[in-house]
Amino acid sequence: MELTAAQAIWLLPPVLPICVIVAWNDMRAMKIPNWTVGALLVIFAVFGLIAFGPQIWAWRWLHVVVMLIIGMALNAGGAMGAGDAKFIMAAAPFVAFADLTNILLILAVTLLLGWAIHRIVKHSPARRLVPEWESWKTGKRYPMGFPLASALVFYLAWPFLF
């Protein structure tokens, strides 16, 4: 993993609350608020410069552009929601290109676990804690903000976990 503990210590604390809000709001309303995407970009603009230094920081903005284009194409093709595409775009500069395989593995795990947790809670008495959540009523649709935000948090926490 290319991400170091020194870099993660700068990035994880400000990113964590935004990711919690993204996951919660996407399960509650099936929407990822635009301000959370903007907040991630501002966090990267400030803390990313400190964590990575100017040269790496500047190159990481290319990740934003690439993922914006890919996300727009996937959204236009109906493969993903606009909020999910925007979140991926805003999360992209936090992830080193060398860690692409790692983040995809983390995303696969968070997607499967998130889906299982969401479905288990949906069909359990625990659902009564938040009966108004839109994601309970959307049929096969699933709030991808939950696994996407979880994947970013686990990626940034990785240097402390292993």
Side-chain angles (χ1 to χ4, degrees):
M1 186 80 78
E2 189 167 308
L3 183 72
T4 67
Q7 293 165 338
I9 199 73
W10 280 103
L11 301 172
L12 184 58
V15 166
L16 180 61
I18 299 299
C19 285
V20 169
I21 292 166
V22 165
W24 183 271
N25 204 68
D26 204 22
M27 289 185 290
R28 182 188 61 78
M30 293 297 289
K31 300 220 181 288
I32 296 174
N34 287 337
W35 72 265
T36 59
V37 172
L40 278 180
L41 292 172
V42 168
I43 289 167
F44 182 77
V46 175
F47 293 96
L49 183 58
I50 297 166
F52 299 117
Q55 188 172 4
I56 293 172
W57 176 83
W59 276 107
R60 294 277 182 99
W61 286 103
L62 185 58
H63 298 194
V64 173
V65 174
V66 169
M67 293 314 299
L68 175 63
I69 293 166
I70 292 171
M72 287 172 60
L74 289 171
N75 177 254
M80 122 179 352
D84 303 329
K86 289 184 290 186
F87 181 84
I88 291 169
M89 176 265 312
F94 292 93
V95 180
F97 184 73
D99 288 339
L100 183 60
T101 303
N102 295 325
I103 193 64
L104 290 174
L105 288 171
I106 292 168
L107 181 58
V109 170
T110 60
L111 180 60
L112 291 172
L113 286 176
W115 182 85
I117 290 166
H118 186 267
R119 292 302 190 240
I120 289 167
V121 173
K122 178 179 179 176
H123 299 290
S124 76
R127 178 180 173 167
R128 286 182 256 161
L129 295 171
V130 283
E132 75 285 351
W133 276 6
E134 188 66 27
S135 64
W136 302 143
K137 306 176 257 183
T138 58
K140 292 182 180 180
R141 289 183 56 221
Y142 172 67
M144 284 295 293
F146 181 33
L148 290 172
S150 299
L152 180 57
V153 168
F154 282 119
Y155 174 77
L156 294 175
W158 194 269
F160 307 114
L161 301 173
F162 303 99

